[in-house]
Amino acid sequence: MNLKELYQEIILDHGKNPRNLRKTENFNKDAKGNNPLCGDKVHIYLKLNENKKVEDISFEGQGCAISMASASIMTDLVKGKEEFEVKEIVSDFLDMIKEKDELNNDILHDDEKTKLMCLSGVKNYPMRVKCATLSWHTLTSAINNSQEEINTESN
Ligand code: ZN
């Protein structure tokens, strides 16, 4: 299996069987995101404990395979991380999707980075980039307590 096939495999797996697709009980942060061009919708629920660590994260929503896989992979990787680590992972991912060839953070393990890199295939397709980044922008909004719904067409 070459790298491209591995990446597609991971996306298909997460797209078909999304992890953390549910609503966290007693969440203390949440935000909604909408990508009207593709019809992707996501609602992220976050539970930070008193040490600002992600005790639980989940999402509800519907959309294309890329948006679902991205939300699934994101929630998987962010769980158990400290808030400042989450912010670093988010900005590293967004930089990678837009322009960089690889991820530069020291927080994620190599196998975790591989899961994120499988979304790098959308890089040359601006419409798909919106699908892949929707849940990430929405997570940032939740962390910052912005009440505003993320809309890919009004940014
Ligand atoms: Zn989409």
Side-chain angles (χ1 to χ4, degrees):
M1 194 186 282
N2 65 32
L3 196 59
K4 203 177 166 190
E5 287 168 339
L6 172 69
Y7 284 177
Q8 281 172 352
E9 190 96 338
I10 295 174
I11 289 182
L12 275 178
D13 174 40
H14 279 267
K16 272 187 200 157
N17 306 299
R19 320 296 196 269
N20 309 304
L21 181 62
R22 55 183 166 78
K23 186 175 178 179
T24 297
E25 275 179 52
N26 308 320
F27 65 89
N28 44 28
K29 287 175 185 282
D30 75 308
K32 287 181 184 172
N34 185 15
N35 175 17
L37 283 185
C38 182
D40 306 319
K41 284 190 173 180
V42 68
H43 192 163
I44 306 272
Y45 303 96
L46 197 61
K47 188 179 179 192
L48 286 180
N49 68 16
E50 62 274 20
N51 301 317
K52 293 206 157 188
K53 198 173 179 170
V54 179
E55 204 168 291
D56 194 27
I57 178 169
S58 63
F59 74 102
E60 289 180 323
Q62 55 198 30
C64 65
I66 298 281
S67 70
M68 294 301 277
S70 186
S72 171
I73 294 168
M74 179 188 80
T75 52
D76 236 10
L77 297 186
V78 154
K79 204 187 284 185
K81 302 287 191 297
E82 312 265 349
E83 187 183 40
F84 76 92
E85 294 177 317
V86 174
K87 287 182 179 174
E88 196 178 324
I89 294 168
V90 171
S91 78
D92 195 21
F93 173 77
L94 293 176
D95 284 349
M96 184 278 285
I97 278 287
K98 281 180 216 144
E99 53 193 7
K100 285 188 312 187
D101 290 333
E102 51 192 29
L103 296 160
N104 295 326
N105 74 78
D106 297 321
I107 301 160
L108 298 174
H109 301 298
D110 282 347
D111 60 321
E112 294 177 317
K113 286 183 180 171
T114 302
K115 285 186 192 163
L116 281 188
M117 287 306 291
C118 61
L119 294 161
S120 65
V122 305
K123 210 174 278 200
N124 300 319
Y125 308 94
M127 295 275 285
R128 303 271 93 180
V129 168
K130 291 179 181 180
C131 300
T133 57
L134 177 66
S135 57
W136 297 77
H137 289 302
T138 306
L139 173 59
T140 301
S141 171
I143 287 178
N144 295 337
N145 293 317
S146 328
Q147 294 305 312
E148 216 178 329
E149 176 177 294
I150 295 295
N151 189 313
T152 54
E153 297 318 294
S154 53
N155 292 338

